[in-house]
Amino acid sequence: MPANTTSPSYFDNFQLNLCAINGLNLRFRFKAANLIIFCLAFWSTSYSQQNKKIELQFNPTFKRQSLALDSIYYHLNQTDSVQFTVLKFYISNISLFADSQLVFREENSFHLIDASLKGSLMLPLSVPQSAFFNTIKFNLGIDSTTNVSGALENDLDPTKGMYWTWQSGYINFKLEGNSNQCKTRKNEFKFHLGGYLAPFEALRKITLPVQHNDSISIDFPLDLFLSKLDLSVENEVMIPGYKAMLIATKAAAEFKSDTP
Amino acid sequence: MKKKTSIIAFILLVITFGFRVNHTPEFPTPKGWPLPQYDFRKNPLDSKKIELGRMLFYDPILSRDSSISCTSCHSQYSAFTHVDHALSHGIDGKIGTRNSPALMNLAWGKSFMWDGAINHLDMQALAPISNTLEMDDNIKNVVFKLQRSAIYSTLFYTAFGVKKIQGAHVLKSLSQFMLTLVSSNSKYDKMKQGAIKFTEAEHRGYLLFQNHCSSCHKEPLFSNYQFENNGLHLDDSLLDIGRMRVTQHAVDSLKFKVPTLRNIEFTSPYMHDGRFQTLNQVLNHYIKGIMPSSTLSGILKNGINLSPNEKADVVAFLLTLSDKEFVFNPQFSYPKSSFQKNLKQAD
């Protein structure tokens, strides 16, 4: 197509062709833009047809019961009890594998799981229709690149209360509550686990087997997690460091899938 | 073949013009300066966002009781620091623990704060907003207050196209304004461009500076953005270990970020705790006040040897780093007309 001074520029044609897509103006000549747009449209419809929705459900529990925040006191043993006020953590970089073969990787995969918001516990994944998988991998926390990428929105927005203000970095995992085991002010315990700078990286990679290919259910039993801690001495970790790393490892180890 | 070329040309045209949204002011990288650190692709400059950031910078709405704004500790006439205050003052008359840094040329910053605790300009404002000695609020509540304000909710809608303000929008617009605070029109810059000549004293001072100071205060930004221990004795009322607080590593004990020397005439007092009032005191420290320690900057092991005349020359040179156009630039000042215009529209 030679340059033509009387016809509109390519840029103008692009806008006119957008009108054509809307059914407003069909008179205009078939141009490269149409081809590109049709290809894109075809590609996107065929793409969505090949996908199915599966539910990835996170279940924070205490002694096999769904976790209830605030009002409920749970028995730790004969004499001690515990109450939880906050449980929030980031799940990122979700991928599904058939043995060692990658079959699905979620784009822009950052999710804030908040025990106080039921909706946040279920993550819908759009995976290929034919995909068979037996393993799920994800991160507990936020990777170092994202940690140095400036202000980010939605689940990564700093209004979510999962970003440190006195020193840059995401809080990967936050658990707060109180227990008579803690000889602290108001018997409180606070675990704000994070840190992306070497040698204090607190991100943990989790790999779990999965049984069903239409839904995935992952438990986080807080009773088992607390059984690995001594609340009388470990009750406040709010900065990156070895303590945070150690507790992050313990937390990551308690994520359990529905497969025995 | 021709068709192919025209298709490619078309795609290029669409890329260059098709996705351009309203006015994108070019970021002015002064001639001979390194490329900025800030990734403008993630937050492209936009005049509406800059002006919104400027309003936020000057608005005490960012503090718990609407008493403190950014400019409380970063006023333009002192090159955006707190003149005469060794330690920054915050909410309820509380006093902070460090000297507020002068704000300029932030696009080239690799980290922020005296200890580099903040890794990105976008995230910097979270610290003063949340610090109980400074603004004592939190970003969630700030967003709530801005959303409730008819003026700000409209401004965020026009700037970002969002009805629901997020923390990231607040931080990005503050970044946009702060990024525009470029100081590059000092006598030093004009000398470098060949427009004017230094006096003899300034020239001698410049040579001494290059000899003794420029490895840390690297031209043209007058900082190497590294952390150094410059031999200050530890103030036992503050016990500030500097960079070590961030890295938890003993090799970083008593190290602080090398500050820029641009506009140093306006930014007294000096050092992370504002312990020196005058440039003369600063130079005396380097000449005879260095406290030896294991983390002391290598080139300061023997101090800096300057005669009284040489000292005067160095000061003469340092004064060439003053940029009056910067401290009086009306684009950086209190956005009176924006506040008035928007108030009128809200009535």
Side-chain angles (χ1 to χ4, degrees), chain A residues 103-125:
Chain A
V103 295
F104 168 75
R105 187 188 296 283
E106 191 186 34
E107 294 292 319
N108 198 23
S109 184
F110 301 100
H111 305 277
L112 179 57
I113 309 293
D114 182 343
S116 72
L117 298 170
K118 246 195 152 75
S120 76
L121 303 179
M122 200 280 281
L123 311 178
L125 303 179

PDB file of all heavy atoms in Angstrom, chain A residues 103-125:
ATOM      1  N   VAL A 103       2.187 -27.665  33.904  1.00  0.00           N
ATOM      2  CA  VAL A 103       1.003 -27.615  33.048  1.00  0.00           C
ATOM      3  C   VAL A 103       0.265 -26.290  33.166  1.00  0.00           C
ATOM      4  O   VAL A 103      -0.532 -25.930  32.302  1.00  0.00           O
ATOM      5  CB  VAL A 103       0.017 -28.779  33.332  1.00  0.00           C
ATOM      6  CG1 VAL A 103       0.652 -30.107  32.990  1.00  0.00           C
ATOM      7  CG2 VAL A 103      -0.468 -28.761  34.767  1.00  0.00           C
ATOM      8  N   PHE A 104       0.533 -25.533  34.216  1.00  0.00           N
ATOM      9  CA  PHE A 104      -0.171 -24.257  34.373  1.00  0.00           C
ATOM     10  C   PHE A 104       0.618 -23.353  35.307  1.00  0.00           C
ATOM     11  O   PHE A 104       1.111 -23.793  36.349  1.00  0.00           O
ATOM     12  CB  PHE A 104      -1.571 -24.489  34.954  1.00  0.00           C
ATOM     13  CG  PHE A 104      -2.258 -23.225  35.406  1.00  0.00           C
ATOM     14  CD1 PHE A 104      -2.797 -22.342  34.477  1.00  0.00           C
ATOM     15  CD2 PHE A 104      -2.342 -22.905  36.760  1.00  0.00           C
ATOM     16  CE1 PHE A 104      -3.420 -21.174  34.899  1.00  0.00           C
ATOM     17  CE2 PHE A 104      -2.968 -21.737  37.176  1.00  0.00           C
ATOM     18  CZ  PHE A 104      -3.506 -20.873  36.238  1.00  0.00           C
ATOM     19  N   ARG A 105       0.760 -22.102  34.887  1.00  0.00           N
ATOM     20  CA  ARG A 105       1.351 -21.109  35.777  1.00  0.00           C
ATOM     21  C   ARG A 105       0.454 -19.875  35.755  1.00  0.00           C
ATOM     22  O   ARG A 105       0.180 -19.335  34.689  1.00  0.00           O
ATOM     23  CB  ARG A 105       2.762 -20.737  35.327  1.00  0.00           C
ATOM     24  CG  ARG A 105       3.490 -19.828  36.324  1.00  0.00           C
ATOM     25  CD  ARG A 105       4.803 -19.331  35.757  1.00  0.00           C
ATOM     26  NE  ARG A 105       5.772 -20.380  35.507  1.00  0.00           N
ATOM     27  CZ  ARG A 105       6.491 -20.969  36.455  1.00  0.00           C
ATOM     28  NH1 ARG A 105       6.354 -20.616  37.710  1.00  0.00           N
ATOM     29  NH2 ARG A 105       7.356 -21.910  36.138  1.00  0.00           N
ATOM     30  N   GLU A 106      -0.014 -19.467  36.906  1.00  0.00           N
ATOM     31  CA  GLU A 106      -0.917 -18.308  36.966  1.00  0.00           C
ATOM     32  C   GLU A 106      -0.142 -17.021  36.684  1.00  0.00           C
ATOM     33  O   GLU A 106       0.921 -16.806  37.249  1.00  0.00           O
ATOM     34  CB  GLU A 106      -1.594 -18.228  38.335  1.00  0.00           C
ATOM     35  CG  GLU A 106      -2.718 -17.214  38.362  1.00  0.00           C
ATOM     36  CD  GLU A 106      -3.321 -16.999  39.750  1.00  0.00           C
ATOM     37  OE1 GLU A 106      -2.581 -17.067  40.750  1.00  0.00           O
ATOM     38  OE2 GLU A 106      -4.524 -16.747  39.819  1.00  0.00           O
ATOM     39  N   GLU A 107      -0.734 -16.188  35.795  1.00  0.00           N
ATOM     40  CA  GLU A 107      -0.125 -14.882  35.506  1.00  0.00           C
ATOM     41  C   GLU A 107      -0.377 -13.954  36.690  1.00  0.00           C
ATOM     42  O   GLU A 107      -1.422 -14.024  37.339  1.00  0.00           O
ATOM     43  CB  GLU A 107      -0.774 -14.266  34.257  1.00  0.00           C
ATOM     44  CG  GLU A 107      -0.516 -15.034  32.977  1.00  0.00           C
ATOM     45  CD  GLU A 107       0.941 -14.980  32.540  1.00  0.00           C
ATOM     46  OE1 GLU A 107       1.536 -13.889  32.661  1.00  0.00           O
ATOM     47  OE2 GLU A 107       1.478 -16.010  32.118  1.00  0.00           O
ATOM     48  N   ASN A 108       0.548 -13.049  36.923  1.00  0.00           N
ATOM     49  CA  ASN A 108       0.365 -12.002  37.932  1.00  0.00           C
ATOM     50  C   ASN A 108      -0.196 -12.596  39.222  1.00  0.00           C
ATOM     51  O   ASN A 108      -1.217 -12.158  39.745  1.00  0.00           O
ATOM     52  CB  ASN A 108      -0.578 -10.941  37.354  1.00  0.00           C
ATOM     53  CG  ASN A 108      -0.469  -9.645  38.114  1.00  0.00           C
ATOM     54  OD1 ASN A 108       0.557  -9.386  38.763  1.00  0.00           O
ATOM     55  ND2 ASN A 108      -1.507  -8.838  38.066  1.00  0.00           N
ATOM     56  N   SER A 109       0.445 -13.619  39.705  1.00  0.00           N
ATOM     57  CA  SER A 109      -0.101 -14.471  40.761  1.00  0.00           C
ATOM     58  C   SER A 109       0.267 -13.968  42.159  1.00  0.00           C
ATOM     59  O   SER A 109       1.287 -14.362  42.719  1.00  0.00           O
ATOM     60  CB  SER A 109       0.442 -15.888  40.527  1.00  0.00           C
ATOM     61  OG  SER A 109      -0.103 -16.790  41.434  1.00  0.00           O
ATOM     62  N   PHE A 110      -0.541 -13.059  42.685  1.00  0.00           N
ATOM     63  CA  PHE A 110      -0.332 -12.544  44.038  1.00  0.00           C
ATOM     64  C   PHE A 110      -1.684 -12.504  44.748  1.00  0.00           C
ATOM     65  O   PHE A 110      -2.596 -11.833  44.283  1.00  0.00           O
ATOM     66  CB  PHE A 110       0.264 -11.130  44.003  1.00  0.00           C
ATOM     67  CG  PHE A 110       1.582 -11.052  43.295  1.00  0.00           C
ATOM     68  CD1 PHE A 110       1.650 -10.610  41.985  1.00  0.00           C
ATOM     69  CD2 PHE A 110       2.750 -11.420  43.939  1.00  0.00           C
ATOM     70  CE1 PHE A 110       2.866 -10.540  41.326  1.00  0.00           C
ATOM     71  CE2 PHE A 110       3.976 -11.353  43.289  1.00  0.00           C
ATOM     72  CZ  PHE A 110       4.034 -10.915  41.977  1.00  0.00           C
ATOM     73  N   HIS A 111      -1.795 -13.202  45.858  1.00  0.00           N
ATOM     74  CA  HIS A 111      -3.082 -13.262  46.557  1.00  0.00           C
ATOM     75  C   HIS A 111      -2.877 -13.057  48.046  1.00  0.00           C
ATOM     76  O   HIS A 111      -2.031 -13.708  48.658  1.00  0.00           O
ATOM     77  CB  HIS A 111      -3.750 -14.612  46.338  1.00  0.00           C
ATOM     78  CG  HIS A 111      -3.926 -14.962  44.891  1.00  0.00           C
ATOM     79  ND1 HIS A 111      -4.980 -14.495  44.139  1.00  0.00           N
ATOM     80  CD2 HIS A 111      -3.155 -15.706  44.053  1.00  0.00           C
ATOM     81  CE1 HIS A 111      -4.860 -14.950  42.894  1.00  0.00           C
ATOM     82  NE2 HIS A 111      -3.767 -15.686  42.822  1.00  0.00           N
ATOM     83  N   LEU A 112      -3.670 -12.163  48.598  1.00  0.00           N
ATOM     84  CA  LEU A 112      -3.649 -11.990  50.046  1.00  0.00           C
ATOM     85  C   LEU A 112      -4.783 -12.812  50.650  1.00  0.00           C
ATOM     86  O   LEU A 112      -5.959 -12.584  50.352  1.00  0.00           O
ATOM     87  CB  LEU A 112      -3.816 -10.507  50.417  1.00  0.00           C
ATOM     88  CG  LEU A 112      -3.828 -10.218  51.917  1.00  0.00           C
ATOM     89  CD1 LEU A 112      -2.563 -10.717  52.596  1.00  0.00           C
ATOM     90  CD2 LEU A 112      -4.020  -8.730  52.170  1.00  0.00           C
ATOM     91  N   ILE A 113      -4.408 -13.799  51.435  1.00  0.00           N
ATOM     92  CA  ILE A 113      -5.390 -14.636  52.132  1.00  0.00           C
ATOM     93  C   ILE A 113      -5.610 -14.002  53.499  1.00  0.00           C
ATOM     94  O   ILE A 113      -4.651 -13.768  54.247  1.00  0.00           O
ATOM     95  CB  ILE A 113      -4.853 -16.072  52.316  1.00  0.00           C
ATOM     96  CG1 ILE A 113      -4.346 -16.655  50.984  1.00  0.00           C
ATOM     97  CG2 ILE A 113      -5.900 -16.965  52.970  1.00  0.00           C
ATOM     98  CD1 ILE A 113      -5.375 -16.906  49.940  1.00  0.00           C
ATOM     99  N   ASP A 114      -6.862 -13.683  53.799  1.00  0.00           N
ATOM    100  CA  ASP A 114      -7.189 -13.010  55.059  1.00  0.00           C
ATOM    101  C   ASP A 114      -8.298 -13.810  55.735  1.00  0.00           C
ATOM    102  O   ASP A 114      -9.411 -13.888  55.213  1.00  0.00           O
ATOM    103  CB  ASP A 114      -7.644 -11.572  54.745  1.00  0.00           C
ATOM    104  CG  ASP A 114      -7.963 -10.781  56.011  1.00  0.00           C
ATOM    105  OD1 ASP A 114      -8.150 -11.413  57.077  1.00  0.00           O
ATOM    106  OD2 ASP A 114      -8.033  -9.542  55.918  1.00  0.00           O
ATOM    107  N   ALA A 115      -7.981 -14.383  56.898  1.00  0.00           N
ATOM    108  CA  ALA A 115      -8.947 -15.259  57.563  1.00  0.00           C
ATOM    109  C   ALA A 115     -10.240 -14.521  57.920  1.00  0.00           C
ATOM    110  O   ALA A 115     -11.273 -15.152  58.136  1.00  0.00           O
ATOM    111  CB  ALA A 115      -8.321 -15.871  58.815  1.00  0.00           C
ATOM    112  N   SER A 116     -10.186 -13.186  57.994  1.00  0.00           N
ATOM    113  CA  SER A 116     -11.396 -12.442  58.332  1.00  0.00           C
ATOM    114  C   SER A 116     -12.261 -12.172  57.099  1.00  0.00           C
ATOM    115  O   SER A 116     -13.367 -11.655  57.225  1.00  0.00           O
ATOM    116  CB  SER A 116     -11.029 -11.118  59.016  1.00  0.00           C
ATOM    117  OG  SER A 116     -10.470 -10.227  58.074  1.00  0.00           O
ATOM    118  N   LEU A 117     -11.758 -12.483  55.910  1.00  0.00           N
ATOM    119  CA  LEU A 117     -12.534 -12.257  54.683  1.00  0.00           C
ATOM    120  C   LEU A 117     -12.711 -13.591  53.972  1.00  0.00           C
ATOM    121  O   LEU A 117     -11.795 -14.087  53.318  1.00  0.00           O
ATOM    122  CB  LEU A 117     -11.803 -11.280  53.753  1.00  0.00           C
ATOM    123  CG  LEU A 117     -11.558  -9.872  54.288  1.00  0.00           C
ATOM    124  CD1 LEU A 117     -10.624  -9.101  53.353  1.00  0.00           C
ATOM    125  CD2 LEU A 117     -12.871  -9.119  54.453  1.00  0.00           C
ATOM    126  N   LYS A 118     -13.905 -14.156  54.105  1.00  0.00           N
ATOM    127  CA  LYS A 118     -14.160 -15.491  53.553  1.00  0.00           C
ATOM    128  C   LYS A 118     -13.831 -15.572  52.066  1.00  0.00           C
ATOM    129  O   LYS A 118     -13.243 -16.550  51.591  1.00  0.00           O
ATOM    130  CB  LYS A 118     -15.633 -15.864  53.771  1.00  0.00           C
ATOM    131  CG  LYS A 118     -15.764 -17.022  54.722  1.00  0.00           C
ATOM    132  CD  LYS A 118     -17.138 -17.652  54.685  1.00  0.00           C
ATOM    133  CE  LYS A 118     -17.025 -19.104  55.072  1.00  0.00           C
ATOM    134  NZ  LYS A 118     -16.829 -19.372  56.442  1.00  0.00           N
ATOM    135  N   GLY A 119     -14.186 -14.504  51.346  1.00  0.00           N
ATOM    136  CA  GLY A 119     -13.968 -14.477  49.899  1.00  0.00           C
ATOM    137  C   GLY A 119     -12.507 -14.606  49.514  1.00  0.00           C
ATOM    138  O   GLY A 119     -12.190 -15.073  48.419  1.00  0.00           O
ATOM    139  N   SER A 120     -11.615 -14.180  50.404  1.00  0.00           N
ATOM    140  CA  SER A 120     -10.193 -14.207  50.063  1.00  0.00           C
ATOM    141  C   SER A 120      -9.610 -15.614  50.164  1.00  0.00           C
ATOM    142  O   SER A 120      -8.511 -15.866  49.685  1.00  0.00           O
ATOM    143  CB  SER A 120      -9.412 -13.255  50.972  1.00  0.00           C
ATOM    144  OG  SER A 120      -9.259 -13.826  52.262  1.00  0.00           O
ATOM    145  N   LEU A 121     -10.351 -16.550  50.778  1.00  0.00           N
ATOM    146  CA  LEU A 121      -9.815 -17.893  51.008  1.00  0.00           C
ATOM    147  C   LEU A 121      -9.921 -18.768  49.756  1.00  0.00           C
ATOM    148  O   LEU A 121      -9.261 -19.781  49.651  1.00  0.00           O
ATOM    149  CB  LEU A 121     -10.542 -18.576  52.161  1.00  0.00           C
ATOM    150  CG  LEU A 121     -10.519 -17.845  53.507  1.00  0.00           C
ATOM    151  CD1 LEU A 121     -11.302 -18.619  54.559  1.00  0.00           C
ATOM    152  CD2 LEU A 121      -9.102 -17.614  53.990  1.00  0.00           C
ATOM    153  N   MET A 122     -10.786 -18.361  48.820  1.00  0.00           N
ATOM    154  CA  MET A 122     -10.979 -19.168  47.607  1.00  0.00           C
ATOM    155  C   MET A 122     -10.389 -18.432  46.407  1.00  0.00           C
ATOM    156  O   MET A 122     -10.746 -17.300  46.126  1.00  0.00           O
ATOM    157  CB  MET A 122     -12.467 -19.445  47.393  1.00  0.00           C
ATOM    158  CG  MET A 122     -12.738 -20.622  46.487  1.00  0.00           C
ATOM    159  SD  MET A 122     -12.585 -20.225  44.743  1.00  0.00           S
ATOM    160  CE  MET A 122     -14.162 -19.426  44.487  1.00  0.00           C
ATOM    161  N   LEU A 123      -9.469 -19.093  45.718  1.00  0.00           N
ATOM    162  CA  LEU A 123      -8.866 -18.491  44.535  1.00  0.00           C
ATOM    163  C   LEU A 123      -9.312 -19.267  43.314  1.00  0.00           C
ATOM    164  O   LEU A 123      -9.036 -20.464  43.195  1.00  0.00           O
ATOM    165  CB  LEU A 123      -7.329 -18.543  44.636  1.00  0.00           C
ATOM    166  CG  LEU A 123      -6.705 -18.060  45.942  1.00  0.00           C
ATOM    167  CD1 LEU A 123      -5.187 -18.220  45.885  1.00  0.00           C
ATOM    168  CD2 LEU A 123      -7.058 -16.611  46.211  1.00  0.00           C
ATOM    169  N   PRO A 124     -10.049 -18.622  42.397  1.00  0.00           N
ATOM    170  CA  PRO A 124     -10.425 -19.325  41.169  1.00  0.00           C
ATOM    171  C   PRO A 124      -9.231 -19.336  40.194  1.00  0.00           C
ATOM    172  O   PRO A 124      -8.617 -18.302  39.955  1.00  0.00           O
ATOM    173  CB  PRO A 124     -11.580 -18.484  40.618  1.00  0.00           C
ATOM    174  CG  PRO A 124     -11.445 -17.144  41.247  1.00  0.00           C
ATOM    175  CD  PRO A 124     -10.524 -17.240  42.428  1.00  0.00           C
ATOM    176  N   LEU A 125      -8.920 -20.508  39.680  1.00  0.00           N
ATOM    177  CA  LEU A 125      -7.832 -20.615  38.707  1.00  0.00           C
ATOM    178  C   LEU A 125      -8.423 -21.022  37.362  1.00  0.00           C
ATOM    179  O   LEU A 125      -9.313 -21.872  37.311  1.00  0.00           O
ATOM    180  CB  LEU A 125      -6.803 -21.666  39.143  1.00  0.00           C
ATOM    181  CG  LEU A 125      -6.131 -21.502  40.495  1.00  0.00           C
ATOM    182  CD1 LEU A 125      -5.174 -22.680  40.737  1.00  0.00           C
ATOM    183  CD2 LEU A 125      -5.374 -20.192  40.592  1.00  0.00           C
TER     184      LEU A 125
END
